[in-house]
Amino acid sequence: MNKIELRNVLPQVFETTVVASDIWKKSVCFERGRHYLIEADSGKGKSTFCSYILGYRHDYSGNILIDGKDVRQFHISDWSQLRRNQVACVFQELRLFPELTAYENVDIKNRLTNHVSRKQVEAWFERLGIADKMMEKIGRMSFGQQQRVALIRALVQPFDFLLADEPISHLDDRNAQAMASLLNEEADRQGASVIATSIGKPLPMNYDFTLQL
């Protein structure tokens, strides 16, 4: 997967609104191997944008193309393949299972992809400073700790693009830098792109393009 294109896309909720954006109602292309920062105020559609790319929502006008194919033509099997092998995501609301441990939340996905070893997962927990929380239930962890677990879960799959929706909103600078370093390293290893959204605290990495939503 090398290219994601949005052509004149506009969420239906904005149809009666005057929108000043680098993305909505524009032609924009996201290319594999380049990093993008999408900045926007609350309510401008950052999470909506991610949901469109992943195929969870289709309430928009215009066209979204992946490698030239309109996603409206995708079948369930196409979306399953995309989410498992091509597009990873750190969701703003995280979507972790509170009754499972931090490690179980990661392992449940890694069992589907068989992408990395347990040793690698443990090394990532150590690197992000939450090795002592691996067997802690998610519901007992702080939101910032959960954000780091969500990143590790996103990395246990192959990807061409990784969507990071406000991934460091509850982290201090040191932990934000640790997340950015790991994400950048894994993206470079796979020749992949990072598309990060921000409401004022961007993931600290080098971006090829900054867009206003």
Side-chain angles (χ1 to χ4, degrees):
M1 179 177 171
N2 295 306
K3 188 164 56 176
I4 300 171
E5 295 177 84
L6 278 70
R7 297 181 179 174
N8 209 36
V9 170
L10 183 68
Q12 290 177 1
V13 69
F14 294 153
E15 285 183 351
T16 59
T17 305
V18 177
V19 176
S21 168
D22 295 327
I23 295 176
W24 302 140
K25 295 289 286 183
K26 299 289 194 307
S27 291
V28 59
C29 179
F30 299 90
E31 298 180 330
R32 180 180 178 181
R34 296 176 178 268
H35 299 329
Y36 302 84
L37 175 62
I38 298 176
E39 296 182 321
D41 295 332
S42 180
K44 296 296 185 179
K46 297 181 298 300
S47 297
T48 297
F49 167 85
C50 294
S51 293
Y52 289 166
I53 302 301
L54 289 164
Y56 292 130
R57 290 178 57 179
H58 306 277
D59 55 329
Y60 60 86
S61 57
N63 304 92
I64 298 175
L65 288 77
I66 292 180
D67 286 346
K69 183 176 181 180
D70 196 311
V71 299
R72 294 189 188 278
Q73 300 174 16
F74 279 20
H75 301 293
I76 293 176
S77 59
D78 296 317
W79 286 118
S80 295
Q81 164 73 11
L82 180 143
R83 295 167 192 157
R84 180 179 294 188
N85 298 310
Q86 297 174 309
V87 181
C89 186
V90 180
F91 298 96
Q92 181 183 355
E93 71 277 22
L94 306 184
R95 301 190 186 183
L96 298 169
F97 298 104
E99 70 278 11
L100 299 182
T101 67
Y103 179 77
E104 287 170 340
N105 268 275
V106 174
D107 190 53
I108 198 171
K109 181 176 181 180
N110 198 32
R111 287 177 180 269
L112 294 174
T113 62
N114 295 310
H115 185 59
V116 300
S117 67
R118 176 175 179 133
K119 183 178 180 180
Q120 178 65 81
V121 171
E122 291 175 347
W124 286 341
F125 270 91
E126 181 71 35
R127 182 167 172 177
L128 295 183
I130 49 173
D132 61 331
K133 300 294 183 181
M134 279 184 56
M135 299 307 166
E136 187 82 39
K137 287 189 176 181
I138 282 292
R140 297 175 181 170
M141 297 172 65
S142 72
F143 197 84
Q145 291 168 339
Q146 291 182 39
Q147 285 185 311
R148 282 171 273 174
V149 175
L151 173 63
I152 295 172
R153 184 187 59 182
L155 296 179
V156 295
Q157 70 166 87
F159 59 89
D160 302 317
F161 290 84
L162 189 146
L163 306 174
D165 191 10
E166 294 189 51
I168 59 168
S169 59
H170 287 67
L171 295 180
D172 57 31
D173 290 345
R174 179 176 60 83
N175 284 310
Q177 186 58 60
M179 276 188 64
S181 177
L182 176 57
L183 177 51
N184 193 63
E185 181 180 299
E186 287 302 303
D188 285 351
R189 187 178 65 81
Q190 298 194 51
S193 285
V194 174
I195 303 176
T197 74
S198 171
I199 197 171
K201 186 179 181 181
L203 190 70
M205 58 187 296
N206 293 324
Y207 297 97
D208 296 288
F209 299 97
T210 298
L211 304 170
Q212 304 297 319
L213 194 59

